[in-house]
Amino acid sequence: MIPRAWHLVAAALSALLMLPALAGIASAAPNSRVYSVTLAKSAADMKKVAEYWKPDRLKNADQYSPATPASQSSPTSKTASGGGQIVPAMSPRIVPARSPQILPTVGPALPKDSAAAKTMGKVFFRFGDKEYWCSASSIAAKNRSVVATAGHCAYDSRQGKPADYWIFVPNPGPGGATPDGIYVGASISMHEDWPGKGDYDFDYAFVTVHRGFKWVEKSGQLAMQDVGRLQDNVGGQGLTLGKGLALTITAFGYPAGPQPDGSHPFDGKTLKVCSGSTRRTVAPSLDLQYGVQLQPCDFSAGASGGPWLLNFQPAQKLGLLTGINSLTWNRDAKGGYDAVSSPTFNATTGEVYRRAAGLATPQNVT
């Protein structure tokens, strides 16, 4: 599929990403509304994904397409997968239900032996027979292994399938360089209304990842070298919920797609930043009733999944996650995007995060 930008007249809205597909083990907690899908459960599963992303494939990463929801459905004719019902890919495991409670603020974490974090990066994955990518960030968690991104960067709600061969690469370099390792997705945690009906009020995902690795040459052969847990290596952004509107937010991402006028100011190779104030926004055609919009921001496709940070500290490169890039907007219907929006992060978001942060991953990759 070829991603395409789209926007509505006057309040022109454009989607930023799309996602891939793979079968996995699904689990849902009806009361807590957390839905979890396994990506690579075992060390053998993890190695299969790792083998797919050898250096010869990663070196072409800059040529892959930034994923966009527009590739799945149009803003005027969106369909929900499974008739609006969650259809597990395999026999479900039920997550213990609990009443949503506001999660206390999770403090950010520096990496080991470093005075500054390196949490931003890209997620790479496959949908059908084509590779795609999105933006993402490492989030502080008790398992030290959680990545935050957009829901549509991890799960195709139209086809009811999770991403295939999903990995997170913090601080990707030119030519497929992975200076801080490669982290294979182990499990996606979402609000059930994203996989169930593609509701953009819940277009976020917390992905628990395996320990990281790098490709090294040993005796003339490529081998996986364990580099440890994600948070230990790059740090983790904090998390705060229910902060309301009129906030000053700093958003990050790797935009690459064209603007509405066809221009290409971004190449997707460099981390970009927007800073502005938040306001309420809605998009009924996408079931977005409680969106939060950040303006000004000219992000285009590719920035989806990048973090929104409150109280960002430039020296430590840390703040408090309060949203993710979900949709771009062309509010004045002119040549360029001028805003980006996120779902509201609330008590249920905290339940999804708790699920991802509480999952264990294997102790090593070798």
Side-chain angles (χ1 to χ4, degrees):
M1 295 183 181
I2 300 175
R4 55 185 173 83
W6 47 266
H7 59 89
L8 302 178
V9 176
L13 170 117
S14 169
L16 283 170
L17 274 67
M18 140 140 209
L19 48 56
L22 162 70
I25 299 175
S27 58
N31 293 339
S32 67
R33 312 201 71 183
V34 178
Y35 190 75
S36 185
V37 179
T38 298
L39 294 177
K41 183 177 182 180
S42 67
D45 295 335
M46 180 269 187
K47 289 179 181 179
K48 179 181 178 181
V49 176
E51 288 285 334
Y52 184 82
W53 292 107
K54 283 187 173 179
D56 60 345
R57 193 182 300 275
L58 283 170
K59 72 181 180 182
N60 296 316
D62 290 337
Q63 302 174 26
Y64 301 148
S65 299
T68 66
S71 300
Q72 300 175 40
S73 56
S74 74
T76 56
S77 62
K78 183 173 63 66
T79 59
S81 64
Q85 301 297 317
I86 295 176
V87 182
M90 296 176 66
S91 299
R93 288 181 293 113
I94 303 301
V95 179
R98 67 165 82 193
S99 298
Q101 300 175 354
I102 285 290
L103 181 81
T105 295
V106 176
L110 286 168
K112 288 184 176 179
D113 305 321
S114 178
K118 302 174 288 182
T119 66
M120 316 298 179
K122 292 182 179 180
V123 295
F124 297 96
F125 48 82
R126 198 175 72 177
F127 181 73
D129 59 358
K130 187 174 180 180
E131 291 81 10
Y132 294 91
W133 57 268
C134 293
S135 301
S137 60
S138 170
I139 306 303
K142 64 182 181 180
N143 62 10
R144 308 196 304 279
S145 302
V146 172
V147 174
T149 191
H152 67 261
C153 298
Y155 193 96
D156 184 342
S157 59
R158 182 179 66 87
Q159 296 192 28
K161 294 181 178 179
D164 197 357
Y165 299 105
W166 194 101
I167 61 170
F168 175 57
V169 178
N171 308 295
T178 59
D180 297 296
I182 301 168
Y183 301 83
V184 173
S187 178
I188 310 169
S189 296
M190 303 165 282
H191 184 282
E192 66 179 5
D193 282 353
W194 177 253
K197 58 182 183 178
D199 186 337
Y200 277 80
D201 277 319
F202 306 102
D203 182 23
Y204 55 79
F206 294 95
V207 181
T208 307
V209 295
H210 289 267
R211 289 173 64 94
F213 73 94
K214 289 183 179 180
W215 287 111
V216 297
E217 188 172 321
K218 293 182 179 180
S219 302
Q221 300 291 325
L222 283 175
M224 296 168 62
Q225 181 180 77
D226 184 278
V227 298
R229 295 197 183 277
L230 176 64
Q231 184 176 314
D232 294 335
N233 294 327
V234 304
Q237 299 296 334
L239 176 66
T240 188
L241 308 172
K243 292 300 180 182
L245 304 173
L247 301 175
T248 298
I249 295 296
T250 306
F252 296 87
Y254 290 87
Q259 297 287 330
D261 63 4
S263 63
H264 286 78
F266 307 119
D267 61 9
K269 300 178 184 179
T270 306
L271 183 68
K272 298 296 182 180
V273 60
C274 285
S275 183
S277 181
T278 59
R279 54 181 286 178
R280 177 70 66 211
T281 191
V282 299
S285 64
L286 296 175
D287 293 329
L288 183 69
Q289 306 298 326
Y290 305 102
V292 182
Q293 191 175 91
L294 174 67
Q295 189 181 23
C297 188
D298 60 353
F299 283 168
S300 61
S304 283
W308 285 26
L309 300 179
L310 182 66
N311 299 334
F312 179 70
Q313 303 299 313
Q316 295 183 329
K317 298 184 179 179
L318 289 173
L320 299 173
L321 186 75
T322 188
I324 52 89
N325 300 318
S326 172
L327 300 167
T328 54
W329 296 72
N330 182 9
R331 293 177 52 81
D332 58 10
K334 294 183 179 179
Y337 299 123
D338 52 19
V340 64
S341 68
S342 167
T344 295
F345 273 25
N346 53 24
T348 305
T349 312
E351 292 299 304
V352 176
Y353 163 82
R354 285 183 206 264
R355 167 67 176 169
L359 295 176
T361 55
Q363 293 302 303
N364 56 61
V365 299
T366 57

